[in-house]
């Protein structure tokens, strides 16, 4: 399985050509995109013919995770076929209007749901954020990735990440952070619970915890980097 970090910042991109949350996951037969924030479309287009993507999975509808769905409609309207989109329940009317466009095939999903996309098993888990948000586990050919979505720490996460080869975690905030994201000290707990490696993401444009990390299995995500496992 390959995970490519298309964009790693939130709630807005860093100055000088960065992008907000978006990750391309390549499994044996599937191409899946997790979240589609600011700058995701140009990054994805540079990697892949967007029409060849099997599905976009949106963890939640905050703008830094979905904003490039807007220009994506213009691109997809010029292509044949529909692009599958999975997302949690939303009451945002403007967003529902986008998903009702004929270029998308939208599925509302909940924690506990499970689907298969070109051989990749995709499971949805609870997260704790300010709007309905899902964690996502992708399993294919004996390997698995767990994406926490945006969330604060809660103890059940240790069950959800168990056995994941890579945990992509919203855990790059400073110690003592009070908002709806995890601080970087939670990475050690996620590593211990999963038994795998941890990639910290959703970086603030003005804070990078890299210098505080000593465990080689815990890294801060780098834009443009591909992680294979
Ligand atoms: Zn959010």
């Amino acid at each position: 399985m390959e995970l490519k970090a298309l964009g790693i910042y939130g709630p807005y991109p860093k100055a000088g050509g960065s992008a907000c949350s978006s990750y391309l996951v390549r499994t044996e037969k599937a191409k899946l995109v997790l979240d589609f924030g600011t700058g995701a479309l140009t990054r994805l287009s540079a990697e892949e013919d967007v029409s060849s993507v099997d599905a976009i999975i949106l963890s939640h509808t905050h703008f830094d995770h979905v904003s490039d769905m807007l220009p994506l409609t213009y691109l997809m309207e010029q292509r044949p076929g529909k692009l599958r989109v999975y997302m949690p329940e939303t009451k945002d009317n403007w967003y529902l209007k986008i998903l009702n466009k004929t270029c998308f095939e939208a599925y509302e999903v909940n924690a506990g749901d499970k689907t298969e996309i070109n051989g990749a098993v995709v499971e949805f888990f609870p997260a704790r954020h300010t709007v309905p948000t899902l964690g996502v586990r992708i399993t294919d050919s004996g390997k698995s990735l767990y994406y926490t979505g945006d969330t604060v720490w809660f103890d059940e996460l240790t069950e959800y990440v168990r056995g994941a080869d890579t945990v992509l975690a919203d855990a790059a905030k400073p110690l003592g952070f009070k908002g709806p994201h995890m601080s970087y000290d939670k990475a050690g707990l996620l590593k211990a619970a999963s038994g795998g490696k941890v990639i910290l993401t959703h970086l603030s444009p003005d804070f990078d915890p890299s210098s505080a990390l000593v465990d080689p299995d815990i890294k801060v995500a780098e834009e443009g980097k591909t992680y294979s496992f």
Side-chain angles (χ1 to χ4, degrees):
M1 192 178 299
E2 277 185 1
L3 163 69
K4 178 148 191 165
L6 302 176
I8 62 171
Y9 289 95
Y12 49 85
K14 192 174 181 174
S18 68
C20 288
S21 299
S22 190
Y23 313 91
L24 172 61
V25 180
R26 295 183 178 102
T27 68
E28 196 136 318
K29 292 184 190 143
K31 288 178 206 160
L32 307 171
V33 176
L34 294 168
D35 285 338
F36 212 63
T38 317
L41 181 53
T42 184
R43 293 271 168 85
L44 177 62
S45 302
E47 274 299 308
E48 292 285 351
D49 176 349
V50 178
S51 302
S52 74
V53 168
D54 295 295
I56 293 182
I57 300 165
L58 302 174
S59 63
H60 66 300
T61 55
H62 277 157
F63 298 153
D64 51 335
H65 295 254
V66 303
S67 59
D68 267 18
M69 293 298 289
L70 296 161
L72 177 62
T73 61
Y74 295 143
L75 184 149
M76 287 307 300
E77 281 168 354
Q78 294 174 20
R79 306 284 175 91
K82 290 172 181 271
L83 180 53
R84 267 183 280 178
V85 180
Y86 294 85
M87 57 179 291
E89 181 187 355
T90 177
K91 293 187 169 48
D92 290 340
N93 284 333
W94 70 269
Y95 200 70
L96 291 170
K97 214 167 152 187
I98 294 294
L99 287 177
N100 284 335
K101 298 243 181 200
T102 52
C103 61
F104 295 126
E105 190 175 300
Y107 297 91
E108 193 178 284
V109 284
N110 297 294
D113 286 349
K114 184 175 182 175
T115 189
E116 191 176 322
I117 303 170
N118 278 2
V121 176
V122 182
E123 297 168 273
F124 299 94
F125 291 83
R128 294 191 188 170
H129 199 43
T130 55
V131 295
T133 301
L134 295 167
V136 184
R137 183 190 277 262
I138 299 172
T139 306
D140 188 284
S141 304
K143 296 288 180 183
S144 76
L145 165 72
Y146 190 93
Y147 174 44
T148 64
D150 280 8
T151 189
V152 294
W153 172 264
F154 57 106
D155 289 344
E156 290 85 349
L157 264 179
T158 58
E159 295 164 33
Y160 302 160
V161 303
R162 189 170 299 146
D165 297 277
T166 296
V167 180
L168 179 63
D170 167 26
K173 297 298 185 224
L175 301 181
F177 182 75
K178 297 278 187 257
H181 306 276
M182 293 183 278
S183 47
Y184 67 81
D185 55 318
K186 299 299 185 293
L189 299 175
L190 293 167
K191 181 192 163 184
S194 66
K197 296 188 176 180
V198 180
I199 301 170
L200 307 185
T201 194
H202 206 287
L203 268 76
S204 297
D206 54 3
F207 178 72
D208 182 342
S210 297
S211 61
L213 302 176
V214 290
D215 186 330
D217 289 337
I218 300 173
K219 297 275 191 220
V220 171
E222 292 174 46
E223 278 193 347
K225 185 163 178 170
T226 298
Y227 302 86
S228 302
F229 50 96

